[in-house]
Amino acid sequence: MISYLQVVIQALLLQQSHNIASGHVEQRTMNLNRVPAKEVRKMSPGYRGCPSTLKKRKQLFNAEERVERKAGIGRRQQKESGKNHKIVRVEEDQVHIPKHMIGFGVPNEPRLKVQRKLPEAAIGPPYFYFENVACAPKGVWSTISRSLYEVEPEFVDSLHFCPAARKRGYVHNLPICDRFPLKPIPPLTIQAALPLTKKWWPSWDRRDKFTCLRTRIGSAKLTERIKEALERCNGDPPLETQKYVLYQCKKWNLVWTGKNKATPLEPDEQEMLMGYPQNHTRGASRTERYKTLGNSFQVDTVAYHFSVLKRMFPNGITVLSLFTGIGGAEIALHRLGIPLKAVVSVEVSEVSRSIFRSWWEQTNQTGDLIELEDVQLLSEDKLKIYISSFGGFDLVVGGSPCNNLTGSNFHHRNGLKGEHSVLFFEFDRILDTVKCMMASNL
Ligand code: SAH
């Protein structure tokens, strides 16, 4: 259903593309698509800069580059020179990544911190919330934090909210006191979440939490191999076999669904563990369901952080959702009972857009949904139009692709310079632009 507001916005955007076609703003639009974000801001004729951004830009220091420079550049060289490598380890990243990730507090844990002092530049609308994998290469979190107004990341493991680990860093300027969890509290152990597996669960498999749910699952061949290995034993398998089986079970999050039968989780089980409604991703292929769920927010975790918004936006919230995926952020807000007045959603995957759109329709949302595809094409002109139509954004949220940051991707784990993860700088660019426009009332 297209609302009047959407028609107006479409008309304004059409006018804008007409201008582009007729050469009025061609140069600028081309630049926006091709040059790094920081350069765009400098070049863009309409960009006036705002004090907070300028100050921030001065402070901005690419920690990743600094680490590399100190290392004498590149992994190979680091390997070749053990000495250099050691020196770097002492001086590198200033962001401390804790072992036990409870952030500024999680439900049922003694609260570590109920107050924090945000850097001046981070204060003021809009609220922002950025997410990515905690265990990123050295320097990544320093760069992210410095880019996002020097806000200290909050590292949280979702196993405090559900039966699966998910170590993530969140950089946000939300208040942190009086948070509350979504109700009902989901089961916190594998056994409580999947009671039917109890019957087949061997006593020597002591897991009660899953490791981080991934974008791919273990193969049918693996299930077969495990079965064969166990069936060769009489009674409890020898330690070596147990070790092998447990290693595979932990790696692929296998569950016991028959005698000696360790199988991957079903997509609907992953939906439940990640806090999504049943059948949320149904209709997409199995491969896509695992992929989108493996990349998504854990809803209960994010909702805990967003819960402070409930008292601030009783009449609804306007969201700029970058890298929307299957809508983890929107589902969290909806489940908290915060009406979605308008969502401008930017997501490049057709499959994810379709999953998110179905959820929007099924939950009878009455707000406006604007769907865009590529964050790199979200220009200042478009942002200006959305900001004036909606009266600004209350929340800018997003978790940019982690493909080049995760531990499992050895080939392309090249940090924020990686082909996909570099899109973090689009989050930074867009947030900066929105913040400046809102500060200067356009
Ligand atoms: N937080 C989301 C998932 C984020 S994963 C959720 O809850 O589901 C990163 C997402 O960025 C993926 O869905 C990927 O398709 C999307 N993406 C990758 N490149 C993009 C681009 N250029 N513009 C917009 N989205 C992009």
Side-chain angles (χ1 to χ4, degrees):
M1 227 190 313
I2 298 173
S3 72
Y4 171 71
L5 194 56
Q6 275 172 299
V7 173
V8 173
I9 290 172
Q10 285 307 332
L12 286 166
L13 289 173
L14 258 177
Q15 174 66 44
Q16 191 200 345
S17 48
H18 169 76
N19 287 344
I20 292 167
S22 59
H24 281 119
V25 283
E26 189 175 21
Q27 184 63 39
R28 186 174 172 190
T29 309
M30 280 169 61
N31 286 340
L32 279 168
N33 295 341
R34 297 212 180 121
V35 253
K38 298 280 172 203
E39 293 306 309
V40 171
R41 283 200 293 264
K42 279 181 214 153
M43 289 163 24
S44 179
Y47 180 71
R48 293 182 295 275
C50 72
S52 73
T53 316
L54 294 175
K55 190 173 153 205
K56 193 184 88 172
R57 213 185 287 148
K58 268 190 208 154
Q59 289 171 345
L60 189 69
F61 184 73
N62 190 328
E64 257 193 299
E65 262 169 23
R66 194 168 52 102
V67 168
E68 275 182 15
R69 251 184 283 136
K70 281 185 184 162
I73 221 101
R75 263 192 175 203
R76 203 180 302 148
Q77 268 163 292
Q78 279 189 21
K79 261 193 195 162
E80 281 162 11
S81 158
K83 252 191 207 166
N84 238 356
H85 188 72
K86 260 192 184 157
I87 297 166
V88 175
R89 290 239 167 266
V90 181
E91 296 183 31
E92 57 200 19
D93 219 336
Q94 288 129 34
V95 172
H96 169 67
I97 301 180
K99 208 162 166 228
H100 299 289
M101 298 190 184
I102 60 169
F104 303 140
V106 290
N108 306 322
E109 280 282 333
R111 293 203 171 180
L112 272 187
K113 200 165 180 177
V114 283
Q115 272 185 339
R116 65 167 170 168
K117 196 168 175 342
L118 281 169
E120 190 80 14
I123 300 170
Y127 284 113
F128 63 86
Y129 188 85
F130 175 80
E131 176 258 18
N132 217 308
V133 288
C135 302
K138 295 280 173 193
V140 164
W141 278 105
S142 295
T143 303
I144 292 175
S145 167
R146 280 169 194 272
S147 303
L148 301 179
Y149 315 99
E150 309 267 357
V151 173
E152 174 196 353
E154 172 169 18
F155 292 105
V156 181
D157 191 335
S158 289
L159 57 74
H160 298 286
F161 294 86
C162 73
R166 199 169 192 79
K167 293 184 166 77
R168 291 292 183 268
Y170 303 89
V171 175
H172 62 87
N173 62 348
L174 296 166
I176 58 168
C177 54
D178 297 327
R179 289 165 162 181
F180 58 87
L182 270 184
K183 295 278 170 60
I185 306 276
L188 291 177
T189 62
I190 298 178
Q191 288 69 24
L194 301 168
L196 294 181
T197 61
K198 261 188 220 163
K199 182 172 172 199
W200 308 108
W201 207 276
S203 58
W204 45 267
D205 180 351
R206 299 209 175 79
R207 286 176 298 155
D208 67 349
K209 297 274 189 188
F210 290 114
T211 54
C212 185
L213 303 184
R214 297 153 58 125
T215 50
R216 292 182 303 125
I217 55 161
S219 64
K221 266 205 181 120
L222 177 62
T223 298
E224 239 356 88
R225 274 204 300 275
I226 291 175
K227 197 172 171 59
E228 278 166 19
L230 293 176
E231 282 180 352
R232 277 197 294 269
C233 325
N234 274 330
D236 271 3
L239 231 63
E240 272 307 295
T241 313
Q242 284 184 25
K243 239 174 154 179
Y244 161 75
V245 173
L246 281 176
Y247 170 79
Q248 298 294 351
C249 285
K250 283 179 189 165
K251 179 169 178 192
W252 295 106
N253 284 318
L254 305 179
V255 286
W256 299 97
T257 53
K259 188 156 188 259
N260 297 328
K261 193 173 167 197
T263 54
L265 287 161
E266 287 296 311
D268 61 332
E269 291 168 336
Q270 291 217 7
E271 282 168 353
M272 180 255 293
L273 296 168
M274 296 296 286
Y276 289 83
Q278 209 179 6
N279 291 330
H280 184 65
T281 58
R282 195 165 176 171
S285 71
R286 270 174 83 83
T287 312
E288 285 291 350
R289 292 181 79 181
Y290 287 119
K291 184 176 164 200
T292 53
L293 284 161
N295 280 329
S296 67
F297 285 165
Q298 204 287 325
V299 172
D300 300 85
T301 313
V302 170
Y304 186 63
H305 299 157
F306 285 174
S307 60
V308 295
L309 295 168
K310 187 164 164 98
R311 60 175 182 270
M312 289 189 266
F313 299 99
N315 300 321
I317 192 164
T318 299
V319 183
L320 174 56
S321 172
L322 305 174
F323 314 103
T324 305
I326 55 173
E330 290 75 8
I331 294 172
L333 292 165
H334 176 70
R335 287 202 43 208
L336 284 162
I338 304 173
L340 296 164
K341 272 202 301 207
V343 174
V344 175
S345 157
V346 195
E347 170 53 56
V348 86
S349 148
E350 164 76 57
V351 174
S352 295
R353 283 203 306 277
S354 149
I355 292 170
F356 179 56
R357 202 180 312 120
S358 303
W359 172 82
W360 186 270
E361 284 160 8
Q362 280 165 26
T363 48
N364 301 318
Q365 298 290 331
T366 53
D368 294 298
L369 172 63
I370 309 256
E371 291 182 272
L372 307 172
E373 288 182 24
D374 191 341
V375 289
Q376 296 168 95
L377 302 179
L378 184 49
S379 62
E380 279 182 34
D381 291 330
K382 280 188 192 165
L383 285 168
K384 203 178 262 182
I385 291 166
Y386 296 131
I387 288 175
S388 58
S389 314
F390 295 124
F393 290 107
D394 302 311
L395 175 67
V396 177
V397 56
S400 57
C402 59
N403 313 36
N404 310 110
L405 306 181
T406 48
S408 54
N409 189 348
F410 291 114
H411 295 297
H412 306 285
R413 199 174 180 231
N414 43 1
L416 289 176
K417 291 189 198 79
E419 184 193 345
H420 305 283
S421 299
V422 75
L423 288 170
F424 157 72
F425 294 104
E426 288 297 311
F427 183 93
D428 178 34
R429 169 185 72 87
I430 292 166
L431 174 62
D432 249 4
T433 310
V434 170
K435 203 166 166 58
C436 284
M437 284 179 181
M438 287 179 67
S440 58
N441 279 331
L442 286 177

